[in-house]
PDB file of all heavy atoms in Angstrom:
ATOM      1  N   LEU A   1      -7.479 140.770 145.836  1.00 96.00           N
ATOM      2  CA  LEU A   1      -8.232 140.683 144.580  1.00 96.00           C
ATOM      3  C   LEU A   1      -9.490 139.882 144.746  1.00 96.00           C
ATOM      4  O   LEU A   1     -10.549 140.236 144.202  1.00 96.00           O
ATOM      5  CB  LEU A   1      -7.358 140.073 143.484  1.00 96.00           C
ATOM      6  CG  LEU A   1      -7.984 139.889 142.094  1.00 96.00           C
ATOM      7  CD1 LEU A   1      -8.460 141.255 141.535  1.00 96.00           C
ATOM      8  CD2 LEU A   1      -7.030 139.195 141.128  1.00 96.00           C
ATOM      9  N   TYR A   2      -9.408 138.792 145.530  1.00 96.00           N
ATOM     10  CA  TYR A   2     -10.619 137.981 145.797  1.00 96.00           C
ATOM     11  C   TYR A   2     -11.714 138.838 146.402  1.00 96.00           C
ATOM     12  O   TYR A   2     -12.880 138.818 145.976  1.00 96.00           O
ATOM     13  CB  TYR A   2     -10.259 136.858 146.723  1.00 96.00           C
ATOM     14  CG  TYR A   2     -11.451 136.116 147.268  1.00 96.00           C
ATOM     15  CD1 TYR A   2     -12.173 135.223 146.520  1.00 96.00           C
ATOM     16  CD2 TYR A   2     -11.849 136.331 148.604  1.00 96.00           C
ATOM     17  CE1 TYR A   2     -13.264 134.511 147.026  1.00 96.00           C
ATOM     18  CE2 TYR A   2     -12.939 135.675 149.105  1.00 96.00           C
ATOM     19  CZ  TYR A   2     -13.638 134.745 148.299  1.00 96.00           C
ATOM     20  OH  TYR A   2     -14.736 134.133 148.829  1.00 96.00           O
ATOM     21  N   HIS A   3     -11.377 139.666 147.400  1.00 96.00           N
ATOM     22  CA  HIS A   3     -12.357 140.513 148.087  1.00 96.00           C
ATOM     23  C   HIS A   3     -12.930 141.574 147.150  1.00 96.00           C
ATOM     24  O   HIS A   3     -14.125 141.949 147.234  1.00 96.00           O
ATOM     25  CB  HIS A   3     -11.813 141.087 149.351  1.00 96.00           C
ATOM     26  CG  HIS A   3     -11.529 140.056 150.439  1.00 96.00           C
ATOM     27  ND1 HIS A   3     -12.509 139.210 150.915  1.00 96.00           N
ATOM     28  CD2 HIS A   3     -10.359 139.745 151.080  1.00 96.00           C
ATOM     29  CE1 HIS A   3     -12.002 138.403 151.839  1.00 96.00           C
ATOM     30  NE2 HIS A   3     -10.716 138.697 151.954  1.00 96.00           N
ATOM     31  N   ARG A   4     -12.079 142.056 146.216  1.00 96.00           N
ATOM     32  CA  ARG A   4     -12.554 143.063 145.258  1.00 96.00           C
ATOM     33  C   ARG A   4     -13.497 142.466 144.243  1.00 96.00           C
ATOM     34  O   ARG A   4     -14.491 143.126 143.864  1.00 96.00           O
ATOM     35  CB  ARG A   4     -11.359 143.676 144.514  1.00 96.00           C
ATOM     36  CG  ARG A   4     -10.417 144.529 145.346  1.00 96.00           C
ATOM     37  CD  ARG A   4     -10.953 145.938 145.476  1.00 96.00           C
ATOM     38  NE  ARG A   4     -10.040 146.767 146.235  1.00 96.00           N
ATOM     39  CZ  ARG A   4     -10.226 148.044 146.533  1.00 96.00           C
ATOM     40  NH1 ARG A   4     -11.338 148.631 146.094  1.00 96.00           N
ATOM     41  NH2 ARG A   4      -9.379 148.740 147.245  1.00 96.00           N
ATOM     42  N   LEU A   5     -13.280 141.248 143.844  1.00 96.00           N
ATOM     43  CA  LEU A   5     -14.114 140.594 142.840  1.00 96.00           C
ATOM     44  C   LEU A   5     -15.377 139.977 143.425  1.00 96.00           C
ATOM     45  O   LEU A   5     -16.389 139.901 142.769  1.00 96.00           O
ATOM     46  CB  LEU A   5     -13.333 139.526 142.107  1.00 96.00           C
ATOM     47  CG  LEU A   5     -12.150 139.959 141.251  1.00 96.00           C
ATOM     48  CD1 LEU A   5     -11.395 138.773 140.672  1.00 96.00           C
ATOM     49  CD2 LEU A   5     -12.598 140.870 140.108  1.00 96.00           C
ATOM     50  N   ASN A   6     -15.298 139.513 144.650  1.00 96.00           N
ATOM     51  CA  ASN A   6     -16.353 138.762 145.282  1.00 96.00           C
ATOM     52  C   ASN A   6     -17.346 139.636 146.047  1.00 96.00           C
ATOM     53  O   ASN A   6     -17.771 139.330 147.126  1.00 96.00           O
ATOM     54  CB  ASN A   6     -15.733 137.696 146.222  1.00 96.00           C
ATOM     55  CG  ASN A   6     -16.745 136.639 146.627  1.00 96.00           C
ATOM     56  OD1 ASN A   6     -17.473 136.119 145.761  1.00 96.00           O
ATOM     57  ND2 ASN A   6     -16.790 136.309 147.897  1.00 96.00           N
ATOM     58  N   VAL A   7     -17.713 140.783 145.437  1.00 96.00           N
ATOM     59  CA  VAL A   7     -18.659 141.673 146.084  1.00 96.00           C
ATOM     60  C   VAL A   7     -20.039 141.020 146.187  1.00 96.00           C
ATOM     61  O   VAL A   7     -20.663 141.016 147.249  1.00 96.00           O
ATOM     62  CB  VAL A   7     -18.762 143.029 145.313  1.00 96.00           C
ATOM     63  CG1 VAL A   7     -19.811 143.918 145.920  1.00 96.00           C
ATOM     64  CG2 VAL A   7     -17.393 143.712 145.292  1.00 96.00           C
ATOM     65  N   VAL A   8     -20.496 140.441 145.076  1.00 96.00           N
ATOM     66  CA  VAL A   8     -21.794 139.718 145.072  1.00 96.00           C
ATOM     67  C   VAL A   8     -21.532 138.305 144.606  1.00 96.00           C
ATOM     68  O   VAL A   8     -21.363 138.038 143.380  1.00 96.00           O
ATOM     69  CB  VAL A   8     -22.826 140.382 144.136  1.00 96.00           C
ATOM     70  CG1 VAL A   8     -24.140 139.652 144.242  1.00 96.00           C
ATOM     71  CG2 VAL A   8     -22.987 141.848 144.524  1.00 96.00           C
ATOM     72  N   PRO A   9     -21.431 137.334 145.512  1.00 97.00           N
ATOM     73  CA  PRO A   9     -21.198 135.918 145.081  1.00 97.00           C
ATOM     74  C   PRO A   9     -22.515 135.271 144.670  1.00 97.00           C
ATOM     75  O   PRO A   9     -23.524 135.390 145.390  1.00 97.00           O
ATOM     76  CB  PRO A   9     -20.600 135.279 146.352  1.00 97.00           C
ATOM     77  CG  PRO A   9     -21.114 136.110 147.462  1.00 97.00           C
ATOM     78  CD  PRO A   9     -21.366 137.495 146.958  1.00 97.00           C
ATOM     79  N   ILE A  10     -22.529 134.630 143.540  1.00 97.00           N
ATOM     80  CA  ILE A  10     -23.728 133.889 143.077  1.00 97.00           C
ATOM     81  C   ILE A  10     -23.298 132.514 142.652  1.00 97.00           C
ATOM     82  O   ILE A  10     -22.405 132.340 141.810  1.00 97.00           O
ATOM     83  CB  ILE A  10     -24.419 134.615 141.900  1.00 97.00           C
ATOM     84  CG1 ILE A  10     -24.934 135.981 142.376  1.00 97.00           C
ATOM     85  CG2 ILE A  10     -25.558 133.779 141.365  1.00 97.00           C
ATOM     86  CD1 ILE A  10     -25.610 136.788 141.295  1.00 97.00           C
ATOM     87  N   ALA A  11     -23.959 131.458 143.183  1.00 96.00           N
ATOM     88  CA  ALA A  11     -23.649 130.084 142.822  1.00 96.00           C
ATOM     89  C   ALA A  11     -24.524 129.635 141.672  1.00 96.00           C
ATOM     90  O   ALA A  11     -25.747 129.811 141.733  1.00 96.00           O
ATOM     91  CB  ALA A  11     -23.842 129.173 144.050  1.00 96.00           C
ATOM     92  N   VAL A  12     -23.898 129.094 140.619  1.00 96.00           N
ATOM     93  CA  VAL A  12     -24.616 128.585 139.479  1.00 96.00           C
ATOM     94  C   VAL A  12     -24.719 127.051 139.677  1.00 96.00           C
ATOM     95  O   VAL A  12     -23.700 126.381 139.743  1.00 96.00           O
ATOM     96  CB  VAL A  12     -23.891 128.890 138.143  1.00 96.00           C
ATOM     97  CG1 VAL A  12     -24.656 128.292 136.954  1.00 96.00           C
ATOM     98  CG2 VAL A  12     -23.758 130.409 138.015  1.00 96.00           C
ATOM     99  N   PRO A  13     -25.931 126.494 139.795  1.00 94.00           N
ATOM    100  CA  PRO A  13     -26.073 125.087 140.130  1.00 94.00           C
ATOM    101  C   PRO A  13     -25.626 124.186 138.964  1.00 94.00           C
ATOM    102  O   PRO A  13     -25.695 124.542 137.800  1.00 94.00           O
ATOM    103  CB  PRO A  13     -27.577 124.928 140.391  1.00 94.00           C
ATOM    104  CG  PRO A  13     -28.203 126.034 139.610  1.00 94.00           C
ATOM    105  CD  PRO A  13     -27.248 127.149 139.634  1.00 94.00           C
ATOM    106  N   SER A  14     -25.239 122.951 139.303  1.00 93.00           N
ATOM    107  CA  SER A  14     -24.916 121.962 138.365  1.00 93.00           C
ATOM    108  C   SER A  14     -26.193 121.440 137.676  1.00 93.00           C
ATOM    109  O   SER A  14     -27.283 121.690 138.152  1.00 93.00           O
ATOM    110  CB  SER A  14     -24.182 120.773 138.996  1.00 93.00           C
ATOM    111  OG  SER A  14     -25.118 120.103 139.868  1.00 93.00           O
ATOM    112  N   LEU A  15     -26.063 120.725 136.561  1.00 93.00           N
ATOM    113  CA  LEU A  15     -27.230 120.210 135.876  1.00 93.00           C
ATOM    114  C   LEU A  15     -27.938 119.140 136.733  1.00 93.00           C
ATOM    115  O   LEU A  15     -29.169 119.065 136.707  1.00 93.00           O
ATOM    116  CB  LEU A  15     -26.830 119.590 134.526  1.00 93.00           C
ATOM    117  CG  LEU A  15     -27.984 119.137 133.631  1.00 93.00           C
ATOM    118  CD1 LEU A  15     -28.915 120.275 133.300  1.00 93.00           C
ATOM    119  CD2 LEU A  15     -27.398 118.524 132.328  1.00 93.00           C
ATOM    120  N   GLU A  16     -27.203 118.440 137.518  1.00 87.00           N
ATOM    121  CA  GLU A  16     -27.814 117.414 138.367  1.00 87.00           C
ATOM    122  C   GLU A  16     -28.650 118.018 139.482  1.00 87.00           C
ATOM    123  O   GLU A  16     -29.529 117.348 140.023  1.00 87.00           O
ATOM    124  CB  GLU A  16     -26.738 116.484 138.939  1.00 87.00           C
ATOM    125  CG  GLU A  16     -26.055 115.622 137.862  1.00 87.00           C
ATOM    126  CD  GLU A  16     -25.096 114.639 138.421  1.00 87.00           C
ATOM    127  OE1 GLU A  16     -25.059 114.474 139.646  1.00 87.00           O
ATOM    128  OE2 GLU A  16     -24.370 113.969 137.631  1.00 87.00           O
ATOM    129  N   GLU A  17     -28.392 119.282 139.835  1.00 89.00           N
ATOM    130  CA  GLU A  17     -29.220 119.969 140.821  1.00 89.00           C
ATOM    131  C   GLU A  17     -30.469 120.552 140.207  1.00 89.00           C
ATOM    132  O   GLU A  17     -31.374 120.937 140.939  1.00 89.00           O
ATOM    133  CB  GLU A  17     -28.399 121.121 141.453  1.00 89.00           C
ATOM    134  CG  GLU A  17     -27.251 120.654 142.302  1.00 89.00           C
ATOM    135  CD  GLU A  17     -26.481 121.829 142.861  1.00 89.00           C
ATOM    136  OE1 GLU A  17     -26.895 122.416 143.866  1.00 89.00           O
ATOM    137  OE2 GLU A  17     -25.441 122.211 142.246  1.00 89.00           O
ATOM    138  N   ARG A  18     -30.585 120.486 138.885  1.00 91.00           N
ATOM    139  CA  ARG A  18     -31.749 121.030 138.229  1.00 91.00           C
ATOM    140  C   ARG A  18     -32.200 120.064 137.107  1.00 91.00           C
ATOM    141  O   ARG A  18     -32.468 120.462 135.952  1.00 91.00           O
ATOM    142  CB  ARG A  18     -31.508 122.408 137.668  1.00 91.00           C
ATOM    143  CG  ARG A  18     -30.169 122.615 136.970  1.00 91.00           C
ATOM    144  CD  ARG A  18     -29.925 124.018 136.479  1.00 91.00           C
ATOM    145  NE  ARG A  18     -30.857 124.447 135.486  1.00 91.00           N
ATOM    146  CZ  ARG A  18     -30.539 125.226 134.417  1.00 91.00           C
ATOM    147  NH1 ARG A  18     -29.279 125.618 134.228  1.00 91.00           N
ATOM    148  NH2 ARG A  18     -31.440 125.553 133.520  1.00 91.00           N
ATOM    149  N   ARG A  19     -32.324 118.782 137.455  1.00 89.00           N
ATOM    150  CA  ARG A  19     -32.725 117.759 136.483  1.00 89.00           C
ATOM    151  C   ARG A  19     -34.052 118.063 135.849  1.00 89.00           C
ATOM    152  O   ARG A  19     -34.304 117.671 134.688  1.00 89.00           O
ATOM    153  CB  ARG A  19     -32.729 116.371 137.129  1.00 89.00           C
ATOM    154  CG  ARG A  19     -31.374 115.848 137.556  1.00 89.00           C
ATOM    155  CD  ARG A  19     -31.487 114.485 138.171  1.00 89.00           C
ATOM    156  NE  ARG A  19     -30.198 113.941 138.593  1.00 89.00           N
ATOM    157  CZ  ARG A  19     -29.360 113.294 137.757  1.00 89.00           C
ATOM    158  NH1 ARG A  19     -29.717 113.093 136.533  1.00 89.00           N
ATOM    159  NH2 ARG A  19     -28.184 112.870 138.201  1.00 89.00           N
ATOM    160  N   GLU A  20     -34.912 118.720 136.587  1.00 90.00           N
ATOM    161  CA  GLU A  20     -36.215 119.088 136.075  1.00 90.00           C
ATOM    162  C   GLU A  20     -36.161 119.915 134.798  1.00 90.00           C
ATOM    163  O   GLU A  20     -37.077 119.912 133.972  1.00 90.00           O
ATOM    164  CB  GLU A  20     -36.992 119.831 137.175  1.00 90.00           C
ATOM    165  CG  GLU A  20     -38.487 119.998 136.936  1.00 90.00           C
ATOM    166  CD  GLU A  20     -39.171 120.708 138.112  1.00 90.00           C
ATOM    167  OE1 GLU A  20     -38.498 120.926 139.125  1.00 90.00           O
ATOM    168  OE2 GLU A  20     -40.343 121.054 137.940  1.00 90.00           O
ATOM    169  N   ASP A  21     -35.040 120.662 134.641  1.00 93.00           N
ATOM    170  CA  ASP A  21     -34.894 121.528 133.474  1.00 93.00           C
ATOM    171  C   ASP A  21     -34.313 120.840 132.238  1.00 93.00           C
ATOM    172  O   ASP A  21     -34.255 121.470 131.169  1.00 93.00           O
ATOM    173  CB  ASP A  21     -33.947 122.713 133.819  1.00 93.00           C
ATOM    174  CG  ASP A  21     -34.551 123.607 134.899  1.00 93.00           C
ATOM    175  OD1 ASP A  21     -35.800 123.700 134.942  1.00 93.00           O
ATOM    176  OD2 ASP A  21     -33.783 124.183 135.651  1.00 93.00           O
ATOM    177  N   ILE A  22     -33.891 119.585 132.360  1.00 94.00           N
ATOM    178  CA  ILE A  22     -33.237 118.902 131.247  1.00 94.00           C
ATOM    179  C   ILE A  22     -34.103 118.855 129.994  1.00 94.00           C
ATOM    180  O   ILE A  22     -33.592 119.157 128.880  1.00 94.00           O
ATOM    181  CB  ILE A  22     -32.718 117.507 131.685  1.00 94.00           C
ATOM    182  CG1 ILE A  22     -31.592 117.671 132.657  1.00 94.00           C
ATOM    183  CG2 ILE A  22     -32.340 116.669 130.492  1.00 94.00           C
ATOM    184  CD1 ILE A  22     -31.039 116.363 133.233  1.00 94.00           C
ATOM    185  N   PRO A  23     -35.382 118.460 130.073  1.00 94.00           N
ATOM    186  CA  PRO A  23     -36.216 118.449 128.826  1.00 94.00           C
ATOM    187  C   PRO A  23     -36.283 119.802 128.171  1.00 94.00           C
ATOM    188  O   PRO A  23     -36.148 119.933 126.942  1.00 94.00           O
ATOM    189  CB  PRO A  23     -37.551 117.960 129.313  1.00 94.00           C
ATOM    190  CG  PRO A  23     -37.258 117.162 130.529  1.00 94.00           C
ATOM    191  CD  PRO A  23     -36.127 117.887 131.176  1.00 94.00           C
ATOM    192  N   ALA A  24     -36.498 120.867 128.947  1.00 94.00           N
ATOM    193  CA  ALA A  24     -36.617 122.226 128.345  1.00 94.00           C
ATOM    194  C   ALA A  24     -35.272 122.633 127.719  1.00 94.00           C
ATOM    195  O   ALA A  24     -35.269 123.188 126.628  1.00 94.00           O
ATOM    196  CB  ALA A  24     -36.991 123.194 129.456  1.00 94.00           C
ATOM    197  N   LEU A  25     -34.162 122.299 128.361  1.00 95.00           N
ATOM    198  CA  LEU A  25     -32.857 122.633 127.777  1.00 95.00           C
ATOM    199  C   LEU A  25     -32.626 121.874 126.497  1.00 95.00           C
ATOM    200  O   LEU A  25     -32.171 122.428 125.480  1.00 95.00           O
ATOM    201  CB  LEU A  25     -31.750 122.347 128.777  1.00 95.00           C
ATOM    202  CG  LEU A  25     -31.600 123.301 129.932  1.00 95.00           C
ATOM    203  CD1 LEU A  25     -30.740 122.677 131.046  1.00 95.00           C
ATOM    204  CD2 LEU A  25     -30.946 124.627 129.471  1.00 95.00           C
ATOM    205  N   ALA A  26     -32.984 120.588 126.481  1.00 96.00           N
ATOM    206  CA  ALA A  26     -32.795 119.763 125.276  1.00 96.00           C
ATOM    207  C   ALA A  26     -33.585 120.299 124.115  1.00 96.00           C
ATOM    208  O   ALA A  26     -33.135 120.421 122.975  1.00 96.00           O
ATOM    209  CB  ALA A  26     -33.144 118.317 125.600  1.00 96.00           C
ATOM    210  N   HIS A  27     -34.873 120.655 124.352  1.00 96.00           N
ATOM    211  CA  HIS A  27     -35.704 121.211 123.284  1.00 96.00           C
ATOM    212  C   HIS A  27     -35.147 122.546 122.793  1.00 96.00           C
ATOM    213  O   HIS A  27     -35.204 122.832 121.584  1.00 96.00           O
ATOM    214  CB  HIS A  27     -37.145 121.364 123.799  1.00 96.00           C
ATOM    215  CG  HIS A  27     -37.933 120.096 123.866  1.00 96.00           C
ATOM    216  ND1 HIS A  27     -38.409 119.448 122.754  1.00 96.00           N
ATOM    217  CD2 HIS A  27     -38.262 119.367 124.961  1.00 96.00           C
ATOM    218  CE1 HIS A  27     -39.042 118.346 123.158  1.00 96.00           C
ATOM    219  NE2 HIS A  27     -38.962 118.241 124.484  1.00 96.00           N
ATOM    220  N   HIS A  28     -34.629 123.336 123.703  1.00 95.00           N
ATOM    221  CA  HIS A  28     -34.031 124.608 123.323  1.00 95.00           C
ATOM    222  C   HIS A  28     -32.853 124.391 122.430  1.00 95.00           C
ATOM    223  O   HIS A  28     -32.693 125.099 121.392  1.00 95.00           O
ATOM    224  CB  HIS A  28     -33.632 125.408 124.571  1.00 95.00           C
ATOM    225  CG  HIS A  28     -32.750 126.596 124.263  1.00 95.00           C
ATOM    226  ND1 HIS A  28     -33.246 127.741 123.737  1.00 95.00           N
ATOM    227  CD2 HIS A  28     -31.442 126.786 124.466  1.00 95.00           C
ATOM    228  CE1 HIS A  28     -32.257 128.627 123.581  1.00 95.00           C
ATOM    229  NE2 HIS A  28     -31.133 128.084 123.995  1.00 95.00           N
ATOM    230  N   PHE A  29     -31.992 123.463 122.758  1.00 94.00           N
ATOM    231  CA  PHE A  29     -30.781 123.172 121.923  1.00 94.00           C
ATOM    232  C   PHE A  29     -31.193 122.666 120.543  1.00 94.00           C
ATOM    233  O   PHE A  29     -30.545 123.004 119.548  1.00 94.00           O
ATOM    234  CB  PHE A  29     -29.852 122.245 122.641  1.00 94.00           C
ATOM    235  CG  PHE A  29     -29.234 122.772 123.895  1.00 94.00           C
ATOM    236  CD1 PHE A  29     -29.051 121.978 125.015  1.00 94.00           C
ATOM    237  CD2 PHE A  29     -28.804 124.094 123.960  1.00 94.00           C
ATOM    238  CE1 PHE A  29     -28.458 122.472 126.144  1.00 94.00           C
ATOM    239  CE2 PHE A  29     -28.229 124.628 125.084  1.00 94.00           C
ATOM    240  CZ  PHE A  29     -28.038 123.820 126.203  1.00 94.00           C
ATOM    241  N   ILE A  30     -32.206 121.843 120.485  1.00 95.00           N
ATOM    242  CA  ILE A  30     -32.654 121.344 119.184  1.00 95.00           C
ATOM    243  C   ILE A  30     -33.099 122.480 118.304  1.00 95.00           C
ATOM    244  O   ILE A  30     -32.756 122.576 117.111  1.00 95.00           O
ATOM    245  CB  ILE A  30     -33.821 120.311 119.364  1.00 95.00           C
ATOM    246  CG1 ILE A  30     -33.253 119.017 120.023  1.00 95.00           C
ATOM    247  CG2 ILE A  30     -34.467 119.973 118.038  1.00 95.00           C
ATOM    248  CD1 ILE A  30     -34.332 118.070 120.457  1.00 95.00           C
ATOM    249  N   ALA A  31     -33.961 123.384 118.861  1.00 93.00           N
ATOM    250  CA  ALA A  31     -34.426 124.535 118.066  1.00 93.00           C
ATOM    251  C   ALA A  31     -33.263 125.423 117.658  1.00 93.00           C
ATOM    252  O   ALA A  31     -33.206 125.949 116.535  1.00 93.00           O
ATOM    253  CB  ALA A  31     -35.468 125.311 118.882  1.00 93.00           C
ATOM    254  N   GLU A  32     -32.336 125.656 118.550  1.00 91.00           N
ATOM    255  CA  GLU A  32     -31.185 126.526 118.272  1.00 91.00           C
ATOM    256  C   GLU A  32     -30.325 125.966 117.134  1.00 91.00           C
ATOM    257  O   GLU A  32     -29.896 126.676 116.233  1.00 91.00           O
ATOM    258  CB  GLU A  32     -30.354 126.639 119.548  1.00 91.00           C
ATOM    259  CG  GLU A  32     -29.214 127.627 119.471  1.00 91.00           C
ATOM    260  CD  GLU A  32     -28.399 127.683 120.747  1.00 91.00           C
ATOM    261  OE1 GLU A  32     -27.715 126.713 121.091  1.00 91.00           O
ATOM    262  OE2 GLU A  32     -28.538 128.726 121.466  1.00 91.00           O
ATOM    263  N   MET A  33     -30.068 124.637 117.177  1.00 92.00           N
ATOM    264  CA  MET A  33     -29.227 123.986 116.171  1.00 92.00           C
ATOM    265  C   MET A  33     -29.945 123.841 114.845  1.00 92.00           C
ATOM    266  O   MET A  33     -29.306 123.873 113.788  1.00 92.00           O
ATOM    267  CB  MET A  33     -28.726 122.638 116.654  1.00 92.00           C
ATOM    268  CG  MET A  33     -27.743 122.731 117.824  1.00 92.00           C
ATOM    269  SD  MET A  33     -27.428 121.116 118.536  1.00 92.00           S
ATOM    270  CE  MET A  33     -26.581 121.615 120.074  1.00 92.00           C
ATOM    271  N   ASN A  34     -31.234 123.787 114.868  1.00 92.00           N
ATOM    272  CA  ASN A  34     -32.020 123.794 113.645  1.00 92.00           C
ATOM    273  C   ASN A  34     -31.910 125.154 112.968  1.00 92.00           C
ATOM    274  O   ASN A  34     -31.705 125.214 111.730  1.00 92.00           O
ATOM    275  CB  ASN A  34     -33.487 123.475 113.920  1.00 92.00           C
ATOM    276  CG  ASN A  34     -34.393 123.645 112.703  1.00 92.00           C
ATOM    277  OD1 ASN A  34     -35.049 124.682 112.587  1.00 92.00           O
ATOM    278  ND2 ASN A  34     -34.350 122.685 111.812  1.00 92.00           N
ATOM    279  N   ALA A  35     -31.978 126.245 113.739  1.00 90.00           N
ATOM    280  CA  ALA A  35     -31.883 127.582 113.155  1.00 90.00           C
ATOM    281  C   ALA A  35     -30.476 127.932 112.703  1.00 90.00           C
ATOM    282  O   ALA A  35     -30.304 128.562 111.658  1.00 90.00           O
ATOM    283  CB  ALA A  35     -32.358 128.618 114.193  1.00 90.00           C
ATOM    284  N   SER A  36     -29.454 127.482 113.469  1.00 88.00           N
ATOM    285  CA  SER A  36     -28.101 127.905 113.151  1.00 88.00           C
ATOM    286  C   SER A  36     -27.377 126.949 112.206  1.00 88.00           C
ATOM    287  O   SER A  36     -26.501 127.383 111.411  1.00 88.00           O
ATOM    288  CB  SER A  36     -27.268 128.043 114.455  1.00 88.00           C
ATOM    289  OG  SER A  36     -27.183 126.785 115.101  1.00 88.00           O
ATOM    290  N   GLN A  37     -27.686 125.636 112.282  1.00 90.00           N
ATOM    291  CA  GLN A  37     -26.947 124.655 111.472  1.00 90.00           C
ATOM    292  C   GLN A  37     -27.841 123.873 110.513  1.00 90.00           C
ATOM    293  O   GLN A  37     -27.323 123.115 109.687  1.00 90.00           O
ATOM    294  CB  GLN A  37     -26.232 123.653 112.395  1.00 90.00           C
ATOM    295  CG  GLN A  37     -25.273 124.263 113.374  1.00 90.00           C
ATOM    296  CD  GLN A  37     -24.620 123.218 114.249  1.00 90.00           C
ATOM    297  OE1 GLN A  37     -24.232 122.161 113.794  1.00 90.00           O
ATOM    298  NE2 GLN A  37     -24.539 123.500 115.563  1.00 90.00           N
ATOM    299  N   GLY A  38     -29.152 124.057 110.593  1.00 90.00           N
ATOM    300  CA  GLY A  38     -30.035 123.321 109.731  1.00 90.00           C
ATOM    301  C   GLY A  38     -30.186 121.898 110.134  1.00 90.00           C
ATOM    302  O   GLY A  38     -30.636 121.038 109.299  1.00 90.00           O
ATOM    303  N   LEU A  39     -29.872 121.534 111.379  1.00 92.00           N
ATOM    304  CA  LEU A  39     -30.030 120.144 111.836  1.00 92.00           C
ATOM    305  C   LEU A  39     -31.487 119.862 112.028  1.00 92.00           C
ATOM    306  O   LEU A  39     -32.326 120.764 112.207  1.00 92.00           O
ATOM    307  CB  LEU A  39     -29.277 119.949 113.124  1.00 92.00           C
ATOM    308  CG  LEU A  39     -27.746 120.061 113.021  1.00 92.00           C
ATOM    309  CD1 LEU A  39     -27.066 119.925 114.351  1.00 92.00           C
ATOM    310  CD2 LEU A  39     -27.181 118.997 112.051  1.00 92.00           C
TER     311      LEU A  39
END
């Protein structure tokens, strides 16, 4: 089953491996929660 599922393996990095993206992610979440929850 592993070989059937693992045809194309893709590693998703941890947040610590992409610290440069933290401000953009934080701003995105603020906008998203403002639209969905009115925060």
Side-chain angles (χ1 to χ4, degrees):
L1 179 58
Y2 169 76
H3 292 302
R4 290 277 182 181
L5 295 175
N6 195 44
V7 176
V8 183
I10 297 179
V12 179
S14 67
L15 186 58
E16 293 185 8
E17 293 178 82
R18 44 182 295 219
R19 291 181 181 275
E20 193 178 351
D21 295 329
I22 289 176
L25 285 164
H27 284 286
H28 168 73
F29 293 141
I30 291 171
E32 185 181 72
M33 292 171 193
N34 171 260
S36 62
Q37 303 180 43
L39 294 176

